[in-house]
Amino acid sequence: FQFTRIVPPPLPISLTCRLPKKSSSATSVTEGRSGVWIEDVLFPPPSQAGGPSCHRFFFDSFVLKSRLIAVTAYSMDPIEDQDLERKLKKEQKAKLKEEKKLKAAQKAEAAKLQAQRSSDGAKKSERKQRKRDVEEENPEDFMDPVTLVLPPPNVTGALHIGHGLTAAIQVWKWKNEYGGTILNQERRLGASLDWSREITPAHDPNDFEVGKRHNLDFINIFTDEGKININGGADFEGMPRFAARVAVIEALQAKGLYRGTQKNEMKLGICSRSNDVVEPMIKPQWFVDCKSMAKLSLDAVLSRDNKIIEIIPHQYEQEWKRWLENIRDWCISRQLWWGHRIPAWYVTLEDDQLKDMGSYNDHWVVGRNEQEAVLEAQKIFPGKNFEIAQDPDVYLHPMIRDAHGQKMSKSKGNVVDPLEVINGISLEGLHKRLEASNLDQNELERAKMDQIKDFPNGIPECGADALRFALVSYTAQSDKINLDVLRVVGYRQWCNKLWNAIRFAMTKLGDNYAPPKMLVVESMPSICQWILSVLNKAVAKTISSFESYKFSEATTAVYSWWQFQLCDVFIEAIKPYFMGSSQFESARKAARDTLWVCLDTGLRLLHPLMPFVTEELWQRLPQAEGTCRKESIMISEYPSVVEAWTNERIESDMEIVNGAVRKLRSLRPQSDKSERYPALALCRGHDVSNSIKAYELEILTLATVSSLKILTEDDSVPAGCAVDVVNENLSVYLQLQGTLNAEAEWEKLRKRREEAQKKHDLLSQEMNSLGYKEKAPLTIQEEQMKKLNSYLEELKIIDEAEQDLKRRIQGI
C-alpha cells in the first residue's frame, strides 16, 4: 500500500484492518457523513489487466475543533477493470464538487454554531447509536485481514486524541498491559488488530523471545540444507535460500506487486570458518534442567546457616545470585562446558598430623563422583579411617579488555593475541592478521588506525613471565582488566633486572662458593640484617595475599622487595665490601651469604608468578653444603617466615637512612649527576645522630656524596648549601658552592612549606573538631599529637632555611 497524504511515513510496526464483506455503494457509505479520500490506495494496481478485482478504501472522518481525529476504513464493491477509468474520472469530478461544498460549509460554520449547540442533544443521540452499532458488530461479517504499516504512538496506557489519525499502537509491550482498552478504542476507530501477524519467531532471535511470550506458531521455512520447504510456498519449495530470494522478487514483479528495493542496515551473522550467512533456525536440542542445581548453588554461597562455598572477591556474590536466580535450562548439545570443578577429592586420614586440606601431596584421589572417590581412597589407604572433601573456594577473575576499556572482539579488530605479546609482532604483522579476518573495509581501516595509535612499532617480545605477572597484578581491577601492553613491556624489563642481580651475585660469590647451612644474623653488618628482616615481611605478605586470593597484593609485595630493597639498596650498599680492602673481610663474607640466601628465597617466592625465568636463574645458583637440593624450583619448598631474621629497630633506622638518601639525591643539580658533593646532616637528638653515624658508609654509597658531616642544633651551616627536610629531627644539606641556584632553592622551600602547612592545618582541624577528645582513642590522640608537633618542627626548619637563603641572596 502507498499513502500519499494524511498517513505519515510508515515504520516497521504493522496494523491489520478487517474490511466489511459487503457495502452497498459509495453513496450509501458517505450518506450523512463528511469524508475524504486517500489517493493511490489500490491493490493490485489498475494497470494489471485480467487481475483480481480492486478495492478502494474510503476513510470516514470526523472533525472536532478543526482537527482530524478518527479514521475508519471501508471497502466498496468490486469494480470491473474496463469500467475503472470511467468511474475514476467521474469520482474525481464528484470529489472536486464535494471539496467546494466543504469549503462553503466551513464558511457557514461560524454562523451556524449557535444552531449546532441547540442540536447537541440530537447529535449525542446519533453518536450513541453509532457507538452501539460498532459494539454490536458481527465478527463473521469480516473478511481476511489486510495489513497496513503505520507508525507507533507513544502509548501511555490508553490512546490519546492525537492517535486517531494513524490508528496504530506499539504492539507487544502494550498489548499485555492495556491490550483490552486499546483494542476497544482501535475498533471504535475502525481498525481491527491481528496480533499474530507481526514477526518471524522461527527465524529471528528477538522474534523468538516475543513468540515464546505470546504462544505464537513457530513456522520454519528452511530445510537443513538451506532450501525452502513447503511452508515457504509451493512455487519456491526446493529452491536454495539465495535463489528463492531472487524468485520471490520475480514473482512480485510478474504480479505487478513489486515496489522497489531499499537497503537497510541490519545485524547479519557470518560463520567465522566458512564465511556463510548464518540463518537462525529452531532445532531440537538436549537440555539439562538447571533450576534445582541453581538453587543448591545459591544456597551453598548465600545460606547463612549452611554456607559451603566462599566466592572471592566478595562482590561477585551478587553476580552469582543474579545469574543463578535467572537460570535457564542448559543446552548440552553444543558441549560447551564451563565452570566444571576438577573431579578431585582430598583425603584426610584420621592419624594425619596436619589436617589442613592440601597438607600432603599424596592424599588426592580422582573420581567421576564422590562414590568413586571413596572407592579409590579405600584402595590407596586400606583399613584406615578417612574423610574426603573438595576445595570449596571459587575465584572469579576479571574480564580482560583492551587498554581503552573496550571489550575485545573480532568484529572490532581490537583482540590482543597473548602469543603476539609473548613472542612479539611487527605492526605489519598485526595488520595482516586483521586483513585475514571478516571485517568489512570500513571496520578494517578503523582497526588498522587504532593499531597504529596503540602499537606504532608493533608489540615487542615480552615473554610468558612478563605477561603472566602483568595479568596477575591487574586483578586489583575487580570487574575488568584494561590491559596496557606497555605495562607488560615494563615487567619484561624488570626480568632483565633479575638477570643482572644474578650476574652480579655470580661474580661476587666466585666459582668455589659454598652457601652456609644457616646464618648467624647477629654478627652480620646492619645492612645484611636489614635486608633479611624486610625479606621476612615480603614472605609473610606474599603468603597471606595468596591465602586470601589477593593476588595483586602478592605481586606488589614481591616486586617491591626485589626492586626497591634488594636491587636499589642492598646490592648497591654492599659493593664497597668487594673493593678488595682487608677492613671489609668479615663484612664481605656476610654479604656473600646474605646475597645467596636472598636470591634463593626471593626466586622461590617469585616462582608461582614467573615460573620460567625463576627456574632458569635458580638452577644457576650454587648448591648449599650438605644439602640435597630438589631437581626443580617447582618442587622445592615455598619460603616461610624465619623469626630470627626480624629486626624492627634496624628497619626503623634504615627508614630514616633511606629518607636522607632520597633527599640528598633530589638536591643534586640536574645538569651534573656524576659530581660528588659534600653532604651535611643536621640531627636533633642523640638517637638520630647515632643512627646516621652508624650508617655513614651506606649514605655515602647510596647518595653518591663525597663526605658526610653530622651537625647539631648549635652548629652553623656553611654557605652555598641546598637544604631539604627528612623529618622533624633530621635535615640534610648538599654543599653546592658556586653551583647553587638560590631562586630554585627558594621555590623548593616555598612548595615544601605549603605542603607542610596544609598537612598541619588538616590535622589541627580534625583534632579541634567537636567530640574528638571524647570519641578518639587515647593512643590515636597521642599519635596525632606527635604528627602535629613534627609538622610544626618541620615548618620551623623551613623558616630557618628560608632566612639563611635570604641572607645569601642579599649578600649579607
Side-chain angles (χ1 to χ4, degrees):
F1 295 90
Q2 182 180 4
F3 296 81
T4 58
R5 61 180 181 180
I6 296 182
V7 180
L11 293 177
I13 293 292
S14 59
L15 170 71
T16 300
C17 293
R18 297 183 181 273
L19 306 179
K21 288 182 178 179
K22 298 181 179 180
S23 179
S24 57
S25 66
T27 304
S28 63
V29 173
T30 59
E31 186 176 358
R33 305 178 185 179
S34 61
V36 293
W37 290 95
I38 295 185
E39 297 177 348
D40 302 330
V41 184
L42 300 174
F43 177 81
S47 61
Q48 182 178 347
S53 300
C54 303
H55 287 80
R56 287 177 297 168
F57 298 95
F58 177 83
F59 287 77
D60 175 49
S61 62
F62 302 91
V63 178
L64 178 63
K65 293 184 179 179
S66 301
R67 181 173 181 180
L68 183 64
I69 63 166
V71 177
T72 307
Y74 295 91
S75 171
M76 297 184 60
D77 291 334
I79 304 174
E80 298 297 334
D81 291 341
Q82 59 268 27
D83 297 329
L84 181 61
E85 185 177 354
R86 177 176 57 80
K87 290 189 176 183
L88 284 174
K89 291 181 179 179
K90 184 177 180 180
E91 288 163 0
Q92 183 67 23
K93 290 180 180 179
K95 179 182 175 181
L96 294 173
K97 185 177 181 180
E98 185 66 20
E99 288 178 352
K100 291 181 180 179
K101 289 181 180 180
L102 286 173
K103 289 181 181 179
Q106 289 174 353
K107 291 180 180 179
E109 185 176 358
K112 295 179 181 179
L113 185 59
Q114 185 63 35
Q116 289 175 352
R117 288 175 181 173
S118 62
S119 62
D120 277 347
K123 290 187 176 181
K124 287 180 180 178
S125 299
E126 180 182 352
R127 287 196 295 271
K128 288 181 180 179
Q129 181 62 38
R130 188 161 57 244
K131 174 182 176 183
R132 194 176 298 111
D133 292 340
V134 172
E135 291 175 346
E136 295 174 357
E137 64 189 8
N138 186 357
E140 296 180 357
D141 290 340
F142 290 86
M143 62 190 298
D144 290 339
V146 177
T147 299
L148 306 181
V149 181
L150 299 176
N154 182 18
V155 183
T156 56
L159 296 176
H160 63 71
I161 200 167
H163 297 143
L165 176 62
T166 60
I169 64 169
Q170 192 173 0
V171 179
W172 292 114
K173 179 178 179 182
W174 297 99
K175 172 182 179 280
N176 292 335
E177 297 182 43
Y178 311 107
T181 302
I182 296 175
L183 182 61
N184 186 45
Q185 288 176 310
E186 289 287 355
R187 285 187 173 180
R188 292 184 182 182
L189 292 173
S192 177
L193 302 180
D194 179 6
W195 300 103
S196 65
R197 307 198 177 199
E198 298 293 333
I199 61 177
T200 56
H203 294 290
D204 181 85
N206 296 322
D207 289 354
F208 175 79
E209 297 295 332
V210 176
K212 285 199 304 183
R213 291 198 298 268
H214 299 281
N215 299 319
L216 302 184
D217 291 335
F218 292 82
I219 303 173
N220 176 33
I221 66 166
F222 288 121
T223 67
D224 290 348
E225 292 76 29
K227 297 180 180 180
I228 306 299
N229 61 23
I230 189 60
N231 294 330
D235 294 341
F236 310 105
E237 184 179 6
M239 287 187 181
R241 49 180 175 157
F242 296 115
R245 291 189 173 100
V246 177
V248 169
I249 294 177
E250 292 175 350
L252 289 172
Q253 291 172 339
K255 293 180 180 296
L257 304 178
Y258 184 66
R259 292 290 181 269
T261 301
Q262 182 177 355
K263 292 184 178 181
N264 293 296
E265 291 187 3
M266 63 178 296
K267 291 184 178 179
L268 191 64
I270 301 293
C271 177
S272 60
R273 297 182 180 180
S274 65
N275 291 329
D276 286 330
V277 176
V278 177
E279 299 287 352
M281 291 176 62
I282 300 174
K283 300 291 292 182
Q285 303 284 345
W286 286 96
F287 289 85
V288 174
D289 187 347
C290 296
K291 296 182 180 62
S292 61
M293 290 189 290
K295 185 179 185 308
L296 290 174
S297 301
L298 280 169
D299 293 342
V301 173
L302 303 178
S303 175
R304 294 182 179 180
D305 302 327
N306 191 26
K307 187 169 186 176
I308 301 174
I309 297 177
E310 186 78 19
I311 291 183
I312 303 164
H314 293 294
Q315 62 262 32
Y316 281 116
E317 286 188 359
Q318 293 304 314
E319 287 292 300
W320 183 272
K321 180 180 178 182
R322 182 174 67 85
W323 277 95
L324 293 177
E325 283 185 340
N326 299 280
I327 197 68
R328 296 185 180 183
D329 292 344
W330 178 19
C331 177
I332 60 175
S333 302
R334 299 178 62 194
Q335 298 179 345
L336 293 180
W337 290 18
W338 62 275
H340 278 202
R341 172 182 278 176
I342 296 174
W345 277 259
Y346 183 76
V347 181
T348 302
L349 301 178
E350 188 178 41
D351 54 356
D352 281 345
Q353 291 184 349
L354 302 176
K355 300 295 184 180
D356 293 336
M357 178 176 285
S359 298
Y360 302 98
N361 291 335
D362 60 349
H363 279 32
W364 290 96
V365 296
V366 176
R368 289 178 296 180
N369 50 47
E370 187 173 354
Q371 289 74 23
E372 287 191 7
V374 170
L375 293 175
E376 186 67 17
Q378 290 173 347
K379 294 179 182 178
I380 300 175
F381 307 104
K384 294 188 177 181
N385 296 327
F386 60 84
E387 294 180 354
I388 65 171
Q390 285 185 291
D391 191 344
D393 295 337
V394 177
Y395 183 82
L396 302 179
H397 66 74
M399 175 181 287
I400 300 176
R401 300 171 179 255
D402 66 14
H404 310 290
Q406 297 294 316
K407 185 177 179 180
M408 291 189 187
S409 170
K410 291 181 179 179
S411 61
K412 294 180 181 179
N414 65 338
V415 173
V416 177
D417 188 332
L419 293 180
E420 293 174 350
V421 179
I422 293 172
N423 301 322
I425 188 173
S426 64
L427 180 61
E428 182 182 3
L430 290 171
H431 287 349
K432 286 183 178 179
R433 175 167 60 80
L434 284 179
E435 292 167 356
S437 65
N438 296 323
L439 294 175
D440 62 41
Q441 192 60 36
N442 292 334
E443 290 294 324
L444 177 63
E445 294 303 322
R446 182 196 60 77
K448 283 185 176 181
M449 292 303 298
D450 289 342
Q451 286 184 341
I452 293 174
K453 292 179 182 178
D454 293 341
F455 315 112
N457 301 314
I459 300 176
E461 180 181 357
C462 297
D465 281 333
L467 178 60
R468 181 190 183 105
F469 195 90
L471 291 177
V472 176
S473 68
Y474 264 124
T475 56
Q477 302 177 8
S478 58
D479 58 341
K480 61 181 180 294
I481 291 176
N482 297 343
L483 179 62
D484 187 352
V485 175
L486 292 179
R487 183 166 176 176
V488 185
V489 173
Y491 286 127
R492 181 206 65 180
Q493 295 169 348
W494 184 60
C495 289
N496 294 338
K497 197 143 193 172
L498 300 180
W499 277 93
N500 291 335
I502 297 297
R503 289 192 186 99
F504 171 82
M506 300 306 292
T507 60
K508 303 307 177 187
L509 295 178
D511 297 335
N512 300 320
Y513 174 76
K517 295 181 180 180
M518 62 177 296
L519 296 177
V520 183
V521 181
E522 296 80 5
S523 61
M524 289 183 169
S526 296
I527 192 66
C528 295
Q529 297 184 48
W530 169 77
I531 193 61
L532 291 174
S533 183
V534 292
L535 174 58
N536 241 4
K537 285 192 173 179
V539 170
K541 179 62 176 177
T542 303
I543 292 175
S544 65
S545 298
F546 277 139
E547 290 177 345
S548 59
Y549 300 92
K550 297 178 180 179
F551 299 123
S552 64
E553 294 185 7
T555 62
T556 301
V558 177
Y559 180 88
S560 297
W561 180 83
W562 270 96
Q563 179 69 36
F564 305 122
Q565 294 174 331
L566 180 70
C567 294
D568 289 355
V569 178
F570 178 73
I571 288 180
E572 295 298 324
I574 64 174
K575 285 182 178 179
Y577 297 165
F578 298 94
M579 296 298 184
S581 175
S582 58
Q583 73 179 90
F584 294 129
E585 186 64 35
S586 176
R588 188 158 48 241
K589 174 65 169 60
R592 284 196 181 101
D593 293 342
T594 305
L595 181 60
W596 183 90
V597 169
C598 285
L599 294 178
D600 174 74
T601 306
L603 289 173
R604 287 186 286 121
L605 189 67
L606 179 60
H607 177 68
L609 303 169
M610 287 187 164
F612 298 107
V613 68
T614 52
E615 180 73 64
E616 175 68 26
L617 297 179
W618 187 79
Q619 294 289 350
R620 294 169 180 260
L621 291 178
Q623 184 175 339
E625 290 181 348
T627 61
C628 183
R629 190 172 69 168
K630 300 290 180 66
E631 294 82 2
S632 169
I633 189 175
M634 182 182 297
I635 57 177
S636 298
E637 292 195 7
Y638 201 68
S640 58
V641 173
V642 181
E643 296 296 338
W645 293 357
T646 300
N647 193 320
E648 296 291 344
R649 180 186 60 80
I650 288 184
E651 284 192 46
S652 177
D653 289 344
M654 277 299 297
E655 185 176 354
I656 297 175
V657 170
N658 286 329
V661 169
R662 287 192 296 269
K663 295 300 183 181
L664 287 171
R665 285 177 175 176
S666 68
L667 294 176
R668 297 174 63 86
Q670 295 293 329
S671 58
D672 188 5
K673 289 291 185 180
S674 60
E675 183 69 23
R676 291 176 178 265
Y677 297 95
L680 302 96
L682 178 58
C683 302
R684 299 170 183 84
H686 294 292
D687 292 340
V688 177
S689 178
N690 291 335
S691 296
I692 298 300
K693 288 179 181 178
Y695 291 92
E696 181 178 357
L697 177 62
E698 284 79 9
I699 294 174
L700 290 171
T701 303
L702 297 173
T704 321
V705 294
S706 60
S707 61
L708 178 64
K709 183 178 181 180
I710 297 176
L711 305 176
T712 64
E713 293 180 275
D714 298 330
D715 296 327
S716 59
V717 178
C721 290
V723 61
D724 208 337
V725 179
V726 179
N727 56 39
E728 69 275 13
N729 296 317
L730 178 63
S731 301
V732 293
Y733 298 82
L734 198 63
Q735 195 166 359
L736 301 177
Q737 299 170 348
T739 61
L740 176 67
N741 187 330
E743 287 75 13
E745 291 302 313
W746 185 275
E747 182 63 19
K748 287 181 182 179
L749 290 173
R750 184 189 66 79
K751 291 181 179 180
R752 188 62 187 267
R753 168 186 284 280
E754 289 181 355
E755 182 181 348
Q757 189 68 52
K758 183 178 180 180
K759 291 179 180 179
H760 172 273
D761 294 344
L762 288 175
L763 184 57
S764 178
Q765 183 180 358
E766 178 184 350
M767 296 176 65
N768 293 326
S769 62
L770 185 64
Y772 170 80
K773 293 185 178 180
E774 292 77 13
K775 297 179 181 178
L778 185 60
T779 55
I780 298 297
Q781 294 186 38
E782 292 176 352
E783 182 180 347
Q784 290 187 329
M785 180 58 71
K786 290 181 180 179
K787 285 185 178 180
L788 191 67
N789 291 333
S790 69
Y791 294 145
L792 290 172
E793 189 65 31
E794 186 174 349
L795 289 170
K796 179 182 176 182
I797 296 171
I798 294 173
D799 281 340
E800 294 174 355
E802 286 178 336
Q803 294 299 323
D804 181 65
L805 191 61
K806 184 178 181 180
R807 288 192 295 269
R808 295 175 198 166
I809 294 174
Q810 295 175 350
I812 299 176

